[in-house]
Amino acid sequence: MNDETASTNVVELATELTIAWLSNPNTRASGEDVPAFLRTMHDAVSNLSSSTSVTSSEEPASDYTPAVSVRKSLASKDHLISLIDGKPYKTLRRHLAGHGLTPDDYRQRFGLKPDYPMVAENYSQARRDMAKKIGLGRKPGARRGGGEEAAPTPAPAPRGRRKSAPAEA
């Protein structure tokens, strides 16, 4: 697009915006305000058109460079190092959500394998041990630990009103 056509489009857009502003019944403007508003609209539209032409000619920023290497991000069992900012995290999910990413988006952005972990190994093990300790993942009535069977629990007493003792006269 040549410069004359671009400047004509900017003037036309600024004029259309000014006409739309003036045709609004809630707008109260004197004749002196119109040229100033038209100039403001022209500047705004020309700034927008110049910024879009610059960004459209640039290469898209789809190629992200990681803050650290993938090998270094997995070097410790205590934490994972984020490829976004290079900081250590026990779990990446909340950090990624803060950047508007899902784990799949993160893996895709940096070219990671689908099995790239989102939780540090030691943290995952600690959570697994805690869950087993409190009994998560067992079916009701399943045996605990060694070879002992779980003692049957007595049925709770029925709830209801207590009967008062018969009054003796």
Side-chain angles (χ1 to χ4, degrees), residues 107-126:
R107 289 180 180 117
Q108 184 179 11
R109 176 183 280 190
F110 294 107
L112 303 170
K113 293 181 180 177
D115 62 344
Y116 183 87
M118 290 290 129
V119 179
E121 189 175 335
N122 287 349
Y123 182 70
S124 177
Q125 186 63 41

Side-chain angles (χ1 to χ4, degrees), residues 23 27 105:
S23 64
T27 304
D105 294 340

